[in-house]
Structure formats: structure tokens, C-alpha cells
Amino acid sequence: MLKSRERFGEQFKTGPARHSAYAGWLIFLLLLLTQAGCRQAQIQPDLPELLWPKSTETPRIRLLKTVSKAEDYQIRKGMLGHMVDYITGFEDQALVSPYGVEVDADGRLYVVDTFLKTVIVFDAGANTYYYVARGEKPFSSPIDIAVDFQSRQVFVTDSKIGAVFAYHNFGREFIGFIGLGILERPTGIVVNAGASELLVVDTLAGDVLRFDLKSHSFKGKYGQGNLSELLHGPTLISVERDGAVLLTDALNFRVLKFDSNGNILGQFGSPGDGPGYFSRPRGVAADSDGNVYVVDALFDNVQIFSQEGKLLMAFGEHGSDLGEFWLPAGIHIDREDRIYIADAYNKRIQIFQYLKER
């Protein structure tokens, strides 16, 4: 470490006047530290217990927390960090319009923000957050995200640029584009680790395209026959733990289920304004018991179906209170059955827990 004289030059001298000036600066810094301490991260308080269904039935869903900024995800700055924030006027970036969401095996929370046109990564394990690296061009309309934990790769669809942004080192290093010149309007994306493939939904073309997970080369279209004749406005996609693929066929108001080879295993859903029907289906995911969760952006809720497509229950309604939604979009369910939902117009991620039967 450099000595004070070496760091600050000859102006760093002692004397009565200098001592007075330095004392003033020390008092000023102490005041900053005190105020910084007062401005210490407002860690999210314990939330009231919210359970669904709201009846005498056995609870199946519990609200855990909401995340709007880094501090909500247990990322805490020290005193020095807050002092620097106070001096520079910098504040943690809060979410504005979250859409795609995913969590990796180390607990990093990845959120695509369509308004900010970026991806924010909340890394509680490292007590930090960061933005994915800038590539050859900035995002224009990022939509969804997929993470391959084993290879440390991150993939983000951009519906206007018509490509997938690919990154290494969990989003810190941009490595290139996938599907440029092939994709028209990519939206949903998922890693199918069992097949070593990246599946990308092309909403405009009405197709799902397959790319090699390692080489990123185009392998063809997903499914048997011409899938575009079957789909109308497909949007978001996920892979179940047994390798089955779930896809929201939005303008046909249904969910399709495929096996790992692209054969259709089943489907459920139809247009309507009551339970068990869809109005604007968006994100889809399955828990460890195979129950299928479908986010509906117009109903402002999440409906849960059995593997056979039977409605089991729903949770959420329109609003901005805890457990309510306003135009929800993406959903991700991790290995611990925690459910992450992008609550877009409420500018937050809401996290729930699926309560398994014991």
C-alpha cells in the first residue's frame, strides 16, 4: 500500500492549519458514515403468512418473498459501500418491467427487464449483483433467458434483433449470436440438457427451433412434421424434470406437452374467462410432482394443472398487494420447488413455495 505522502503528493503536510482542515474532513466523513448507516439496506421484513388455497383445505402454495432490488435478495452493502453511494448519488437499480426469469444451481437470480433492456443477475452467494456483458450491439427487445449451469452459459432472446445473445461465465462474457438470419421473432428459450439442445420459440414463424448446446449450430425444427401448421403465437417454453417439454400456444389458448423427441404427448386448455380456461397464457413450468403452472397475464393469476390437464387450483388475482399480480409473465421453478414469477407491472419478482404432501 502506498504511504500517504506518496498517494497525495507534497500537499499532504502537517501543521496547525492542516490539522484543522483534516479534522473538518474527518468530521464530514464521520457524518457521511453515520448517514450511510441510517441508509443501511432496508432488508425486507418478514412477510405475513400467505397461503393458498385460502380455505380449510391443506395449503399447497406459500409466499416467501418479493424481489424488486438487490437488497430484497439478501445482497447487503457494507458501510463503505453505502458511503460511496451517498457521495456519488448512486442507488441500486430497481426492476422496472421484468419478463423472463431463471435461477441457477448456485442460486443466482437472472431477470430480463424489457424496459431497461438488460438482464440483471442477483448473486446472493457473492453478495453482489451485475448486468450481463455488453455484446457487439445492445439489446433491443430482450424477452427470455436460459442458463446452462454445467457450461456456465447464459442465453437471452431478443425479439427485434432476431437472435439469441450467448454468454459465458454466467453472463459476464459475451461470446456471440445464435440463430442470426434464421430466427424471425424469438421469444421463449430453454436448455434441454438431456438432449444437449437449446430450444428457441419463434413466435412469428410459429415454430420451435433446435440448436446444439455446445456448438450453437442449427439442428432443425422441433417436433414431428410441420409444427407451424399446429401452433399460433407460441410464446414461452420449459422442460420438466423427466425431459418432457411444455409450450404455451398462446393464440390457441392452450399448453402443449412434447416428449424429448418432439412427439406430442398431450394438450389442454381453451379460451374462456373462468377457472381452467386461458385468456393470455404466458409462462409455463412444472414442479417436482409434475404439476403444471400456467401464468395468465389477463387473469393476473397462476393456474395449476395435473399432468393430465385437470385444474387443481389457482392463486393470485389482480392487484399490487402481496400475492397479487399485474400482467405477470415468465415463471421458473427451481429444484427446491420455489416458484419465481415475473410480476411485470408491479416491478418485482414474487417467490412462492410449493408445499409437497408428506
Side-chain angles (χ1 to χ4, degrees):
M1 180 179 292
L2 293 175
K3 295 181 180 179
S4 297
R5 183 182 300 273
E6 294 171 330
R7 292 180 62 195
F8 295 99
E10 291 300 319
Q11 291 183 351
F12 192 90
K13 297 179 180 178
T14 58
R18 292 289 182 182
H19 282 303
S20 177
Y22 297 142
W25 275 105
L26 285 173
I27 293 172
F28 177 67
L29 287 174
L30 286 172
L31 287 172
L32 286 181
L33 286 169
T34 301
Q35 294 189 47
C38 294
R39 298 172 70 250
Q40 187 75 19
Q42 296 298 308
I43 303 302
Q44 194 173 32
D46 292 336
L47 300 181
E49 185 173 67
L50 293 180
L51 300 167
W52 291 265
K54 296 180 178 179
S55 65
T56 57
E57 297 179 48
T58 303
R60 289 287 172 253
I61 302 294
R62 180 176 66 219
L63 176 67
L64 294 181
K65 67 166 61 180
T66 66
V67 177
S68 296
K69 56 186 183 301
E71 291 168 350
D72 297 334
Y73 204 60
Q74 298 181 335
I75 297 172
R76 303 174 177 86
K77 288 187 176 180
M79 191 76 73
L80 181 59
H82 282 280
M83 185 185 73
V84 172
D85 284 357
Y86 185 85
I87 295 172
T88 62
F90 175 81
E91 295 291 340
D92 290 345
Q93 178 64 64
L95 299 176
V96 178
S97 185
Y99 196 99
V101 59
E102 184 149 349
V103 176
D104 69 23
D106 279 345
R108 297 179 191 86
L109 172 63
Y110 303 76
V111 183
V112 179
D113 194 303
T114 58
F115 180 85
L116 297 175
K117 298 182 179 181
T118 190
V119 177
I120 306 175
V121 185
F122 301 109
D123 189 348
N127 196 36
T128 189
Y129 73 95
Y130 58 92
Y131 299 89
V132 297
R134 289 288 295 265
E136 297 176 8
K137 61 175 68 177
F139 289 120
S140 180
S141 180
I143 300 294
D144 199 14
I145 186 165
V147 180
D148 180 30
F149 183 75
Q150 295 301 321
S151 67
R152 303 164 62 92
Q153 293 185 97
V154 172
F155 308 95
V156 182
T157 54
D158 192 301
S159 63
K160 287 187 178 179
I161 292 177
V164 174
F165 286 66
Y167 302 87
H168 186 54
N169 196 18
F170 301 115
R172 294 182 177 88
E173 302 170 19
F174 175 74
I175 56 178
F177 293 107
I178 300 174
L180 199 60
I182 300 174
L183 296 165
E184 295 182 56
R185 189 179 297 165
T187 49
I189 188 169
V190 69
V191 169
N192 189 353
S196 192
E197 289 182 345
L198 185 68
L199 301 179
V200 183
V201 179
D202 192 322
T203 298
L204 187 61
D207 270 319
V208 179
L209 283 69
R210 303 159 53 229
F211 296 86
D212 186 88
L213 195 55
K214 294 181 179 179
S215 68
H216 301 165
S217 60
F218 178 55
K219 296 179 62 175
K221 295 181 179 180
Y222 194 70
Q224 305 299 313
N226 192 349
L227 199 59
S228 62
E229 294 180 359
L230 179 69
L231 303 178
H232 187 25
T235 309
L236 295 178
I237 191 169
S238 67
V239 174
E240 295 190 71
R241 301 186 190 194
D242 63 0
V245 175
L246 298 169
L247 174 69
T248 50
D249 189 14
L251 297 182
N252 279 325
F253 307 96
R254 63 182 176 178
V255 170
L256 291 171
K257 184 173 182 177
F258 301 86
D259 66 16
S260 58
N261 295 316
N263 300 301
I264 296 177
L265 296 175
Q267 59 179 290
F268 62 87
S270 58
D273 58 4
Y277 295 89
F278 296 132
S279 180
R280 194 178 297 171
R282 286 292 182 263
V284 60
D287 63 30
S288 60
D289 286 334
N291 302 313
V292 179
Y293 298 62
V294 184
V295 177
D296 198 298
L298 199 56
F299 290 161
D300 291 314
N301 72 356
V302 180
Q303 298 188 81
I304 307 176
F305 298 85
S306 69
Q307 297 182 48
E308 295 75 29
K310 177 184 176 182
L311 178 65
L312 300 176
M313 62 167 286
F315 65 96
E317 58 186 277
H318 177 74
S320 56
D321 287 341
L322 296 173
E324 296 178 342
F325 301 103
W326 189 3
L327 287 179
I331 181 173
H332 176 78
I333 301 178
D334 70 14
R335 290 287 173 177
E336 302 300 322
D337 280 324
R338 288 180 290 254
I339 307 155
Y340 303 76
I341 299 173
D343 189 8
Y345 269 43
N346 282 324
K347 305 179 180 181
R348 63 189 179 186
I349 302 296
Q350 295 204 67
I351 307 175
F352 303 83
Q353 179 71 57
Y354 167 53
L355 305 174
K356 292 173 66 71
E357 290 189 59
R358 298 185 183 278

